């Protein structure tokens, strides 16, 4: 596993080093990296060698695909069909699919030209590599050369097999025959030649003859050069069965400025073939000219690149040759779309000298009008005009467009074609909108009732639009609204004969808190014949409900609602939800208690909790109360006033906006004097906390050593200050105060003894050290800032230049 990681790291370094000049096969790359790593070669040494030989992004894609699919062989173009079965990919191959994705992303070339050019994408497909097939018999016209492996099998009267690789000199060495020169022969010619040569040493034995046959083993590798506007030009090692298409795929395809129509193959300094990729794409004609050693594939710049846009099936850029016309371009673009206007096209020609031109080319000129580089051809759509269309809308069963003529010629025909009128159709008047010759509109009034009875009719014209309103559209039906103690208070759509009971059912019924003796209905004032304003805003009704029915309605059908009615279901005054308080600490039965009445007090709740425990310290009891909405509003108002400032405004840090606050109580007096002002009336959410006796005193603030000491009855404030090391230098001695366990606060003097109680906290405030500066100090500060301000001004001026 460690070796795999190292090899993968080497592969990564290889692909990130830069431009590639020559290519090794996939298997050669993997084999070399594995062997070099085993020999201890450094990453830099391996990278330098392989970059010199060359790799591409497509190789990465192939290695990744083979690894993911678990195939046993790579697309090694230098293997024959027999060799592929022998040379399988090492299962320990150090290639990770995710890493290959990253490498592919890094090596994907970016182009400043974002235009989409037809045909360039075929060399970027993962599934179209144009690799030579190694699973077919060797072509008879294949010419042998150095590096090819030949297999000579002899069977019959004699049996033997010879496997030789053609040497750089072009021959093989055979025992008893010596060197046999095969370079440049086709497989067929070489087979005939070998049969003649071998016949001299394998003569007939007892009338039996030996059969001799030459086949091709491993195919040689050739080197070819790819020049010009290929994406990765350079020298590549390919199979001798490779074609120009495969070579271009290995080189990553063609740059945006490269030509697909005039790719040249040169051999021995002469152009032997010109390749047009469009013939392969559109006609399926692929040039199977095989490459030879030292062939040169040259990709020149394009001759003319034109853009077709609009209503064709494949709008994009296309490369055209010198004599191609608009007809050829439209054929390449897949032809016109169904809604295209084919009568003419617009050609925009951009001239470098500023003399741009526009040509309107008619249909009969498509085959003769020649295009030049960077022409833009625009195909427009047809005009949205109809010769026989009418439309019907409104209160019919099938509204929409219909064809005039044949069975639809009049308004009545059109209504019948739309499956007739709905039951809510307004019969007295419909509107027919008609287009005049100058395309302006006119309105014709139609009496639908007379039309349908046959008393009159109207002949239709093209583009007529008939609108038949419904009764509900002509009447205003405002929504009903219900508020209060119902399950779903909301607005509901009005319908004729909706009763109050119906609306309550739609709203989910009454809540248990609803009053059945008072339901109010508010009705809008509508008087269309009024000639003077009125001060009355609404008409109001109050009804009583029993078992879901209105019992005091003037109508046997119940109270019938009208559009825009508002219904208010009141909460019953006899409905009360439980309100709880909580007792914590030293009572016999702590916990939650529900208040019996609105005026229940501290002493009452203590009695219900069976009294205090012997360890209780009632003087230290405190009450925590939830802030009501009104209290929260007052606190926010105070904060707003403080933020506005002013001479008499409140300090911001003195305003408490927390959801709870402490209420100072004296529980010992409330218990001994029930019903007095000491006996506080409780409120929902109150939390009464009764502590145990606390025998310590806490000293905080501007003292030398804040401390907690034992309470001693009768000792004065000075005694406890001394217990904290005395006052600090910044102590505000005249403002000392005491916070008691029950939440109350008292000011204390140094000779006070009664003020100090068990469990209390003594606070010594700190003096305010801030003071107002004198006029001389202010002037001095201003003088020191003046040079800094001048420097800032100079810098700001420089930055503007």
């Amino acid at each position: 596993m460690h070796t795999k990681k190292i090899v993968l790291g080497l592969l990564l370094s290889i692909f990130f080093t830069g431009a590639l000049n020559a290519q090794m096969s996939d298997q050669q790359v993997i084999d070399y990296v594995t062997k070099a790593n085993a020999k201890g070669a450094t990453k830099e040494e391996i990278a330098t060698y392989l970059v010199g030989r060359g790799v591409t992004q497509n190789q990465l894609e192939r290695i990744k695909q083979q690894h993911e699919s678990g195939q046993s062989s790579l697309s090694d173009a230098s293997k024959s069909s027999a060799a592929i079965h022998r040379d399988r990919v090492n299962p320990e191959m150090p290639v990770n699919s995710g890493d290959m994705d990253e490498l592919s992303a890094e090596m994907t070339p970016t182009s400043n030209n974002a235009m989409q050019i037809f045909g360039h994408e075929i060399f970027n497909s993962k599934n179209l590599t144009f690799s030579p097939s190694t699973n077919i018999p060797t072509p008879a016209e294949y010419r042998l050369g150095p590096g090819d492996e030949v297999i000579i099998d002899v069977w019959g009267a004699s049996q033997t097999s010879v496997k030789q690789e053609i040497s750089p000199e072009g021959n093989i060495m055979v025992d008893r025959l010596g060197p046999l020169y095969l370079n440049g022969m086709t497989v067929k010619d070489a087979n005939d030649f070998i049969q003649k040569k071998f016949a001299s040493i394998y003569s007939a034995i007892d009338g039996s003859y030996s059969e001799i046959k030459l086949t091709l083993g491993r195919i040689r590798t050739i080197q070819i050069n790819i020049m010009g506007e290929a994406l990765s030009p350079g020298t590549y090692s390919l199979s001798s069965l490779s074609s120009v298409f495969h070579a271009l795929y290995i080189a990553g395809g063609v740059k945006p400025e490269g030509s697909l129509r005039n790719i040249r193959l040169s051999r021995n300094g002469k152009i032997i073939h010109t390749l047009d990729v469009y013939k392969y794409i559109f006609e399926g004609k692929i040039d199977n000219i095989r490459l030879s050693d030292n062939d040169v594939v040259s990709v020149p710049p394009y001759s003319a690149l034109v853009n077709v846009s609009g209503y064709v099936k494949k709008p994009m850029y296309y490369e055209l040759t010198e004599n191609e016309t608009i007809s050829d371009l439209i054929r390449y673009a897949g032809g016109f779309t169904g809604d295209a206007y084919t009568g003419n096209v617009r050609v925009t020609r951009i001239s470098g000298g500023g003399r741009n031109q526009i040509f309107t080319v008619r249909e009969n000129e498509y085959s003769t009008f020649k295009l030049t580089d960077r022409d833009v051809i625009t195909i427009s759509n047809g005009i949205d005009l109809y010769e026989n269309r009418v439309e019907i809308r409104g209160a019919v069963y099938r509204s929409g467009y219909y064809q005039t003529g044949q069975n639809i010629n009049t308004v009545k025909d059109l209504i019948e074609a739309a499956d007739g009128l709905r039951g809510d159709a307004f019969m007295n008047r419909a509107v027919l909108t008609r287009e005049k010759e100058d395309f302006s509109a006119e309105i014709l009034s139609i009496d639908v009732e007379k039309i349908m009875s046959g008393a009159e009719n109207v002949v239709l014209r093209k583009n007529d639009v008939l609108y038949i309103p419904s009764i509900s559209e002509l009447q205003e039906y405002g929504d009903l609204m219900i508020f209060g103690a119902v399950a779903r208070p909301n607005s509901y759509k009005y319908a004729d004969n909706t009763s109050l009971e119906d609306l309550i059912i739609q709203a989910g019924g009454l809540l248990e808190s609803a009053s059945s003796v008072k339901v109010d209905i508010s009705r809008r004032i509508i008087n269309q014949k009024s000639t003077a304003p009125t001060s009355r805003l609404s008409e109001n009704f109050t009804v009583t409900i029993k078992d879901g029915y209105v019992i005091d309605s003037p109508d046997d059908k119940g109270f019938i609602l009208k559009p825009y009615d508002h219904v208010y279901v009141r909460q019953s005054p006899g409905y009360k939800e439980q309100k709880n308080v909580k007792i914590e600490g030293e009572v016999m039965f702590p916990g939650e208690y529900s208040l019996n009445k609105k005026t229940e007090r501290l002493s009452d709740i203590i009695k219900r909790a069976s009294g205090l425990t012997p360890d209780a310290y009632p003087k230290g009891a405190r009450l925590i109360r939830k802030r009501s909405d009104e209290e929260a509003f007052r606190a926010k108002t105070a904060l707003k006033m403080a933020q506005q400032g002013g001479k008499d405004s409140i300090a911001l840090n003195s305003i408490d906006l927390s959801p709870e606050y402490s209420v100072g109580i004296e529980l010992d007096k409330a218990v001994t004097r029930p019903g007095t002002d000491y006996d506080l009336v409780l409120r929902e959410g109150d939390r009464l906390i009764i502590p145990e006796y606390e025998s310590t005193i806490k000293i905080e603030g501007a003292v030398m050593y804040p401390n907690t000491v034992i309470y001693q009855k009768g000792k004065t404030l000075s005694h406890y200050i001394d217990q904290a090391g005395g006052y600090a230098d910044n102590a505000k001695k005249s403002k000392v105060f005491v916070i008691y366990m029950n939440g109350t606060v008292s000011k204390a003097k140094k000779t006070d003894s009664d003020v100090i109680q068990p469990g209390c906290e003594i606070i010594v405030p700190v003096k305010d050290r801030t003071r107002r500066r004198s006029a001389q100090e202010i002037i001095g500060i201003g003088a020191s800032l003046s040079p800094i301000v001048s420097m800032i001004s100079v810098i700001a001026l420089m930055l503007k230049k």
Side-chain angles (χ1 to χ4, degrees), residues 129-190:
T129 66
F130 302 100
S131 298
S133 175
T134 56
N135 295 321
I136 60 174
T138 304
E141 68 275 10
Y142 176 81
R143 293 190 178 274
L144 300 174
D148 281 337
E149 182 186 62
V150 294
I151 301 171
I152 304 171
D153 293 314
V154 180
W155 70 97
S158 300
Q159 291 190 4
T160 188
S161 180
V162 177
K163 183 186 295 185
Q164 289 278 331
E165 183 177 300
I166 299 177
S167 68
E169 290 74 24
N171 58 54
I172 61 173
M173 186 65 67
V174 180
D175 292 343
R176 299 167 59 188
L177 290 176
L180 299 179
Y181 191 80
L182 300 178
N183 185 41
M185 293 185 182
T186 66
V187 173
K188 182 178 182 301
D189 293 339

Side-chain angles (χ1 to χ4, degrees), residues 597 599-604 607 664-682:
K597 55 185 178 180
T599 58
E600 191 158 2
R601 298 174 180 268
L602 288 170
S603 59
D604 298 327
K607 289 178 182 178
I665 61 171
E666 296 183 60
L667 184 62
D668 55 331
K669 294 180 181 180
V671 173
T672 57
R673 304 177 193 177
T676 63
D677 290 340
Y678 294 109
D679 199 6
L680 182 72
V681 175
L682 295 172

Side-chain angles (χ1 to χ4, degrees), residues 477-489:
Y477 291 113
D479 290 344
L480 303 172
M481 298 194 72
I482 185 167
F483 306 87
V486 292
R488 296 187 295 272

Side-chain angles (χ1 to χ4, degrees), residues 588-660:
M588 299 301 292
F589 294 98
E592 300 279 351
Y593 286 84
S594 179
L595 297 175
N596 289 327
K597 55 185 178 180
K598 288 184 177 181
T599 58
E600 191 158 2
R601 298 174 180 268
L602 288 170
S603 59
D604 298 327
I605 207 70
I606 293 296
K607 289 178 182 178
R608 293 175 60 188
S610 297
L612 304 173
T613 66
D615 298 324
Y617 182 57
K619 282 189 176 182
R622 66 183 185 275
L623 184 74
I624 305 299
R625 176 160 287 178
K626 290 183 178 179
R627 195 180 298 275
S628 66
D629 294 340
E630 177 61 27
E631 290 169 336
F633 173 76
R634 290 200 301 266
K636 290 179 181 178
T637 302
L639 177 62
K640 185 177 180 181
M641 294 175 62
Q643 289 172 337
Q644 292 173 352
K647 182 178 179 181
D648 299 323
S649 64
I650 308 169
L652 291 176
N653 57 7
S654 67
I655 300 174
D656 182 15
L657 294 179
S658 60
E660 292 183 336

Side-chain angles (χ1 to χ4, degrees), residues 538-560:
S538 64
E539 184 179 5
N540 292 283
F541 308 90
T542 300
V543 298
T544 301
I545 296 177
K546 182 179 180 182
D547 298 329
Y549 295 97
V550 177
I551 61 175
D552 52 0
S553 171
D555 194 331
D556 293 339
K557 297 180 180 179
F559 192 95
I560 303 301

